[in-house]
Amino acid sequence: ARTQEAAVEEFVWNLLALRHEAAGLWIEPTSEQILDAIRALQVFQTPEGRFDSGIYTRFLAEQLPPRGLTERHIEDLIRDSITLDKV
């Protein structure tokens, strides 16, 4: 895309296509798969490589609200990522 507007438009169409194909293929990540994927994100890991719920909680409280986002947005993003991997 040559402009931000074109990039947003392409993203939206691609997301709609992904969700349509996933529905047709009966692909729906479970809550457990989504939670596992969130726990595996390096940004929420300790230096020892373990999930740190405190880091995640702080992220939800400090980083998302100023951007108008919620935990649901993170879950949707992860759901779409898992779906894309499966499609």
Side-chain angles (χ1 to χ4, degrees), residues 28-38 75 78-79 82:
E28 178 63 34
T30 65
S31 296
E32 185 175 307
Q33 289 172 317
I34 295 166
L35 184 56
D36 288 345
I38 290 171
E75 292 169 357
I78 296 298
R79 179 180 291 105
I82 293 169

Side-chain angles (χ1 to χ4, degrees):
R2 297 188 189 275
T3 66
Q4 183 174 353
E5 182 178 310
V8 168
E9 185 176 331
E10 282 183 36
F11 174 80
V12 169
W13 282 112
N14 288 332
L15 184 57
L16 288 171
L18 172 66
R19 290 179 177 174
H20 175 77
E21 287 300 312
L25 296 169
W26 296 77
I27 296 173
E28 178 63 34
T30 65
S31 296
E32 185 175 307
Q33 289 172 317
I34 295 166
L35 184 56
D36 288 345
I38 290 171
R39 288 179 176 160
L41 293 173
Q42 187 175 4
V43 70
F44 303 129
Q45 303 284 317
T46 65
E48 296 79 31
R50 288 186 297 260
F51 176 73
D52 185 327
S53 62
I55 295 172
Y56 182 63
T57 301
R58 281 191 302 280
F59 177 80
L60 294 178
E62 297 170 6
Q63 300 298 317
L64 297 183
R67 292 166 176 81
L69 302 173
T70 66
E71 183 175 10
R72 177 67 183 199
H73 290 99
I74 298 297
E75 292 169 357
D76 287 345
L77 179 66
I78 296 298
R79 179 180 291 105
D80 291 333
S81 177
I82 293 169
T83 301
L84 180 61
D85 288 344
K86 289 185 176 194
V87 168

